[in-house]
Amino acid sequence: MTAKFDLIVVGGGILGTFHAYHALKRGLKVALLERNSVPQGATVRNFGQVVPSGMDLTWQNYGRESLAIYNELHSQADLTIRKNGSVYIASNDEEIQLIEELYEINRNNDYESVLLSKNDCIKKFDGLRSDYCKGGLFFPQELSVDSADMIAKLHKLLQEKLGLQIFYNTTIIETGENGQNCSAISADGTEFTASKIIICGGHEFKTLYPKVFDESDLEVSKLQMLQTKPQGIYSLPGNILTGLSIRRYESFSECASYQKIKASEDPKSFEKKFGIHILFKQALDGSIILGDSHEYADAKNADDLGYDLNMEIDEFMIHEAKKIIDLPTYEIQRRWFGIYSQCKTKDIFEHNPSPNIYIVTGIGGKGMTGSGGFSKFNIDKIYA
């Protein structure tokens, strides 16, 4: 069996799907090959926050493009998208200084943000503790999604509206180029051919081009997250990011005070050892998603991270979260970890094993926010 396309995208997560989307917008015949029955990787194991505010200027621009793309797609089908904004809650004077500096940077970048007083925050976010909150920075354009539902609905939309052909349960074990065409061969012997192939395999490095990945500067990060039971009539709109997020996110590293403030932190603290910062997002069922942590290993040693959950991390995150917001219940119904890949020295990993085969992965924690805009840029570059 042979199927021919203009473009094959290997990997049905958010980065691969948006590459497929922008190729379809060019009128190309596109196949999306996904190894599982539905995507199982970082795309469905994250917070579902679309937050350009947390990124450096280059990726903020990709993220702002993504906001427009999500809104356009959501106008065609319900993709679980809610435009409730994001807020960074400062807990002390240093964090207040950082959000004020970022506010000025955003003003110069023409990206809308609003400084909130302590009282503004407490009125806007039910249960926010007055002994934690000193003020906030609000980004009204930013979005929340329920990731697993969103990617499934996006796949369906692209199939029905733009003719995307998706092949689930299709593990590609070999790709190659013969000068005329590129080919992708699946585990069951099916050969797919196309003019170009883009491989967006997330943290799966063992099957295709393992030597390339072993010799790269890619690393994988393991993140732990929790989900409470539904909170009843309680409502917590938008993405809630807190003091540890202010001290971690790339956008704040562009602030004048950032390096001095970071230098005063204890590198041996529990939160630094496990890369913890505290985020809250309410899911459609009323539950609250909490997290997260970060443990790292080189790509070739990814298995060293293991498959277990560190309960000490979970307990620390719950303990810290209770200092920030008084939820009706902190009873946990679900715990999980996600794995994503990122580069140590670059924003994203790009490699051409042959002229018309493109490996694009290692987008790190920027995937849900940056993929829409970056993929548009990358498709335009590939087909320039």
Side-chain angles (χ1 to χ4, degrees):
M1 174 182 172
T2 302
K4 295 184 179 180
F5 298 90
D6 297 317
L7 173 67
I8 292 167
V9 179
V10 180
I14 195 66
L15 184 60
T17 299
F18 271 127
H19 274 88
Y21 167 68
H22 291 298
L24 290 164
K25 295 273 282 184
R26 286 175 162 263
L28 301 177
K29 182 181 180 183
V30 181
L32 186 65
L33 312 181
E34 167 56 46
R35 64 184 299 161
N36 297 303
S37 57
V38 294
Q40 298 287 332
T43 293
V44 303
R45 302 191 196 190
N46 64 75
F47 269 90
Q49 298 181 337
V50 186
V51 286
S53 58
M55 297 180 171
D56 65 26
L57 181 58
T58 297
W59 281 87
Q60 185 187 98
N61 288 331
Y62 290 142
R64 291 169 69 174
E65 181 82 33
S66 295
L67 291 175
I69 292 165
Y70 278 118
N71 287 324
E72 166 62 23
L73 289 166
H74 189 63
S75 71
Q76 302 175 49
D78 179 7
L79 300 182
T80 77
I81 290 168
R82 287 94 74 195
K83 188 177 179 180
N84 291 323
S86 303
V87 67
Y88 296 81
I89 304 294
S91 67
N92 57 36
D93 291 342
E94 289 181 337
E95 291 159 12
I96 287 288
Q97 185 170 355
L98 287 171
I99 64 172
E100 289 175 349
E101 290 174 3
L102 186 61
Y103 170 75
E104 291 299 328
I105 291 171
N106 292 323
R107 235 175 27 157
N108 292 332
N109 294 343
D110 195 29
Y111 187 45
E112 183 181 4
S113 65
V114 181
L115 281 169
L116 302 178
S117 69
K118 174 175 181 166
N119 286 337
D120 292 336
C121 293
I122 290 169
K123 287 178 184 176
K124 188 174 179 64
F125 302 105
D126 189 16
L128 181 61
R129 292 180 59 112
S130 63
D131 57 347
Y132 179 86
C133 175
K134 299 294 184 286
L137 183 60
F138 181 62
F139 292 83
Q141 299 176 35
E142 299 190 341
L143 307 175
S144 304
V145 305
D146 279 25
S147 305
D149 287 342
M150 188 279 293
I151 194 67
K153 291 179 176 183
L154 180 56
H155 281 187
K156 184 178 179 183
L157 175 65
L158 299 187
Q159 286 175 297
E160 293 177 352
K161 298 288 189 180
L162 294 176
L164 176 63
Q165 296 189 48
I166 304 181
F167 299 83
Y168 296 109
N169 298 305
T170 300
T171 300
I172 299 303
I173 59 172
E174 182 182 347
T175 61
E177 182 173 359
N178 62 14
Q180 297 277 327
N181 285 301
C182 299
S183 64
I185 300 171
S186 70
D188 68 0
T190 302
E191 182 179 8
F192 301 84
T193 63
S195 301
K196 297 180 185 293
I197 295 175
I198 300 175
I199 299 169
C200 301
H203 72 281
E204 207 298 298
F205 302 138
K206 293 182 179 179
T207 307
L208 296 173
Y209 305 101
K211 191 169 187 289
V212 169
F213 291 119
D214 282 353
E215 295 175 354
S216 74
D217 75 335
L218 279 161
E219 62 182 1
V220 293
S221 179
K222 177 181 178 181
L223 298 79
Q224 289 186 204
M225 284 160 277
L226 312 97
Q227 187 170 9
T228 71
K229 290 191 172 180
Q231 301 285 330
I233 62 171
Y234 175 83
S235 175
L236 186 66
N239 307 310
I240 314 299
L241 305 101
T242 63
L244 290 175
S245 307
I246 292 170
R247 293 168 179 274
R248 179 177 178 86
Y249 273 16
E250 292 172 358
S251 57
F252 291 95
S253 68
E254 299 178 340
C255 296
S257 302
Y258 183 79
Q259 293 303 327
K260 182 180 178 181
I261 289 170
K262 289 293 284 184
S264 67
E265 295 176 356
D266 178 6
K268 296 181 180 179
S269 66
F270 189 87
E271 60 265 30
K272 289 290 178 287
K273 179 180 178 182
F274 292 105
I276 294 170
H277 64 134
I278 307 299
L279 304 93
F280 303 78
K281 192 206 79 174
Q282 191 160 34
L284 287 174
D285 68 355
S287 63
I288 301 291
I289 299 173
L290 300 172
D292 57 4
S293 60
H294 299 77
E295 299 173 83
Y296 299 96
D298 290 344
K300 62 184 176 183
N301 301 320
D303 290 345
D304 291 352
L305 292 174
Y307 54 81
D308 57 321
L309 291 169
N310 183 332
M311 298 308 293
E312 194 176 5
I313 291 175
D314 281 6
E315 288 165 7
F316 179 87
M317 291 193 295
I318 293 169
H319 182 262
E320 292 301 305
K322 286 179 176 179
K323 295 178 183 177
I324 300 168
I325 298 178
D326 289 325
L327 296 177
T329 179
Y330 270 95
E331 191 174 356
I332 302 300
Q333 67 171 341
R334 197 161 71 96
R335 306 169 189 264
W336 71 96
F337 69 84
I339 300 279
Y340 64 63
S341 61
Q342 62 184 28
C343 292
K344 296 177 184 177
T345 60
K346 301 186 292 291
D347 289 332
I348 194 165
F349 181 80
E350 298 178 274
H351 177 76
N352 286 78
S354 63
N356 291 295
I357 297 179
Y358 305 82
I359 299 173
V360 186
T361 191
I363 197 171
K366 305 183 291 293
M368 195 58 64
T369 300
S371 290
F374 172 79
S375 298
K376 182 177 186 295
F377 162 82
N378 202 35
I379 287 291
D380 288 346
K381 181 175 71 173
I382 288 169
Y383 286 96

